[in-house]
Amino acid sequence: MVQPNDSSSAGHRRRIALDERTCRMICPIASAMVGVCLTGIGLLHVTLTLRARQTVADDLLSVDALLFLIATLSSYFALRVQGTARLHWLERIADATFILAMLLLTAACFIITYALNR
């Protein structure tokens, strides 16, 4: 008995595979970015203490580290769940928080550059 070619089933499998690849990419990158943010906070504190200046950049980097952590955890749990609805929900959270964290990191870099060049 020949089974019909079900293109919707193939598309569904392809969509799940794409989501898993996205989560597999976000998880290690976001977790590394948490370390980058924490390193930036430490370096910023040392530099600004020596120059006796205050900036909001360390607060932004702290929030940024939390956003990267949320992206890491949601992509990790998306890889661990079995249901496709939950996979897509967690994958969207990972995407959104990762992009937001990258934007915030860019803003913090501009603030740091301005604070150090004054």
Side-chain angles (χ1 to χ4, degrees):
M1 180 176 215
V2 176
Q3 292 194 0
N5 185 3
D6 188 10
S7 63
S8 66
S9 176
H12 178 69
R13 276 186 258 125
R14 202 171 331 126
R15 191 169 121 192
I16 291 172
L18 286 173
D19 291 341
E20 288 175 2
R21 282 196 311 245
T22 300
C23 290
R24 289 183 194 280
M25 185 177 62
I26 288 175
C27 192
I29 294 171
S31 61
M33 294 307 289
V34 171
V36 169
C37 290
L38 295 176
T39 302
I41 291 169
L43 292 173
L44 186 61
H45 273 276
V46 169
T47 304
L48 293 178
T49 300
L50 292 174
R51 292 183 174 197
R53 291 194 180 146
Q54 293 282 329
T55 183
V56 72
D58 57 339
D59 297 330
L60 287 177
L61 289 173
S62 297
V63 171
D64 207 24
L66 289 174
L67 288 173
F68 279 122
L69 181 62
I70 291 168
T72 301
L73 293 175
S74 59
S75 63
Y76 172 78
F77 287 121
L79 293 170
R80 306 286 295 174
V81 298
Q82 298 299 320
T84 57
R86 194 173 287 165
L87 169 76
H88 294 298
W89 181 73
L90 287 167
E91 190 261 338
R92 281 192 295 271
I93 291 172
D95 275 345
T97 54
F98 185 78
I99 291 170
L100 180 62
M102 289 301 291
L103 291 171
L104 189 61
L105 182 59
T106 303
C109 287
F110 279 108
I111 292 171
I112 291 168
T113 301
Y114 176 75
L116 295 178
N117 288 329
R118 279 194 312 165

